[in-house]
Amino acid sequence: MEQLPVDGDTLYLGIDGGGTKCRAVIVDACGKTLGVGNGGPANPYHGVARALESIDNAADSALRAAGLPKSAKSQLVAGLGLAGVNVPSLFQIVKQWEHPFKEQYLTTDLHIACIGAHEQDDGAVIVSGTGSCGFSHVNGQSLILGAHGFPCGDVGSGAWIGLECVKAVLLDSDQLGPQTVLTDLVAEQLQARGIMIVERLNGAKSSDYAKLTPLVFSAAEQGDEVALRIIQEGADYLTAVARRLWATNPPRMSMLGGVSQRIVDWMDDDIADRMSEPLRQPEHGAVRFARTQHEALAEPVA
């Protein structure tokens, strides 16, 4: 029979809510992981109701994995790190949510990624996945660079690389730009050429463009000048982001996201060599954030 936690035992829920999925972990007061779970997209910028539902579902999934009933949700001290809440209006909406948890502490997905990567509050991260951005937190002061979203920003990300690839291929197709092997590679992957590429990508999401990223890296490694230009431009942008973040004097910096593992090799050597491996996943950073906030509020007033 499922048992509720003993009264007085504090359980922490960490939520990493992104634009494509939501990850959850439940940890006990000793730091032991009890269960992990997943949910759908949790960026309120793309729909508040859907984001909150994804958070709830991810929490339920983690509870099941921990062998706990849904009713235990009311005993969880939850740390939520969500994409999109760097927009002040969305932060307020989620903060005012009538959540099912014992306590809820909200911050950005960048903040919890940074905490998890360094297992401390101070540090810096560069994210290069489907999107891109930079973040540092030092002595209570945060700096966010980028995070403007696709297609407005996200330079050096998978979505940006994919879009630049498509633009170059279309120029080549119209004989208005340099020839590139990307034209044949894209034609093979999308089963389309010229204007048919535009039709195929009608309504495409950032993640759809990001699927073209491996083609660009492959072409660049073969010496294709167009692909080289795209990858180097993205790497130069991320190098500039790193230099601005280092100027805030963080103790460590890490690169996160699927594209980061490949594009770091194209960044300036002095920057690439200073990167540190992330220590924990963002959802564990959310747990640490929740625990810090909870314990601070529990401290007696002198």
Side-chain angles (χ1 to χ4, degrees):
M1 182 177 178
E2 294 173 322
Q3 297 292 323
L4 286 168
V6 176
D7 288 343
D9 287 352
T10 301
L11 297 184
Y12 297 93
L13 170 70
I15 293 285
D16 174 26
T20 57
K21 61 184 176 181
C22 179
R23 292 180 294 190
V25 63
I26 295 175
V27 174
D28 68 13
C30 296
K32 178 183 177 182
T33 297
L34 303 181
V36 297
N38 294 284
N43 183 342
Y45 186 81
H46 300 302
V48 173
R50 187 181 187 186
L52 299 182
E53 180 182 18
S54 295
I55 293 166
D56 205 37
N57 289 341
D60 286 342
S61 177
L63 284 168
R64 286 194 300 271
L68 296 170
K70 281 189 179 182
S71 55
K73 197 183 301 182
S74 63
Q75 297 192 33
L76 298 176
V77 175
L80 275 57
L82 305 184
V85 298
N86 55 309
V87 178
S89 60
L90 292 175
F91 184 93
Q92 288 303 317
I93 289 172
V94 178
K95 186 177 181 181
Q96 294 167 9
W97 173 37
E98 294 185 8
H99 60 82
F101 312 119
K102 179 179 180 180
E103 298 171 24
Q104 172 184 285
Y105 300 102
L106 176 65
T107 189
T108 65
D109 58 336
L110 289 173
H111 191 190
I112 64 162
C114 189
I115 295 172
H118 309 300
E119 290 198 313
Q120 60 181 7
D121 213 32
D122 284 5
V125 291
I126 294 176
V127 179
S128 178
T130 300
S132 73
C133 52
F135 176 85
S136 74
H137 187 85
V138 179
N139 296 326
Q141 299 296 312
S142 295
L143 172 66
I144 297 177
L145 300 176
H148 301 137
F150 179 81
C152 296
D154 287 1
V155 178
S157 71
W160 177 86
I161 291 171
L163 178 59
E164 292 300 304
C165 170
V166 169
K167 288 157 63 176
V169 166
L170 292 175
L171 285 173
D172 180 18
S173 298
D174 287 341
Q175 298 183 19
L176 294 171
Q179 291 185 336
T180 171
V181 299
L182 290 171
T183 299
D184 288 337
L185 293 175
V186 169
E188 182 178 354
Q189 181 156 319
L190 296 183
Q191 293 296 293
R193 288 182 180 271
I195 194 64
M196 299 305 294
I197 294 174
V198 179
E199 182 177 30
R200 182 61 58 87
L201 291 174
N202 183 32
K205 303 184 294 293
S206 58
S207 56
D208 296 318
Y209 283 95
K211 291 175 183 176
L212 299 173
T213 299
L215 304 182
V216 186
F217 276 105
S218 177
E221 289 160 1
Q222 294 172 39
D224 182 81
E225 291 186 5
V226 171
L228 282 167
R229 175 187 59 77
I230 294 171
I231 297 300
Q232 195 59 62
E233 183 179 343
D236 289 346
Y237 170 82
L238 295 178
T239 293
V241 169
R243 293 194 188 285
R244 280 215 58 202
L245 294 177
W246 277 122
T248 66
N249 295 315
R252 296 174 90 245
M253 187 184 301
S254 299
M255 290 195 70
L256 311 173
V259 177
S260 69
Q261 299 170 10
R262 299 190 71 173
I263 204 166
V264 68
D265 293 333
W266 301 78
M267 295 169 64
D268 289 359
D269 289 343
D270 65 313
I271 291 296
D273 292 344
R274 293 182 70 185
M275 294 296 172
S276 301
E277 286 295 318
L279 300 177
R280 300 295 296 272
Q281 292 298 311
E283 56 268 30
H284 287 278
V287 167
R288 190 181 184 97
F289 174 73
R291 184 167 194 148
T292 299
Q293 298 296 312
H294 171 71
E295 292 176 350
L297 290 175
E299 289 180 359
V301 179

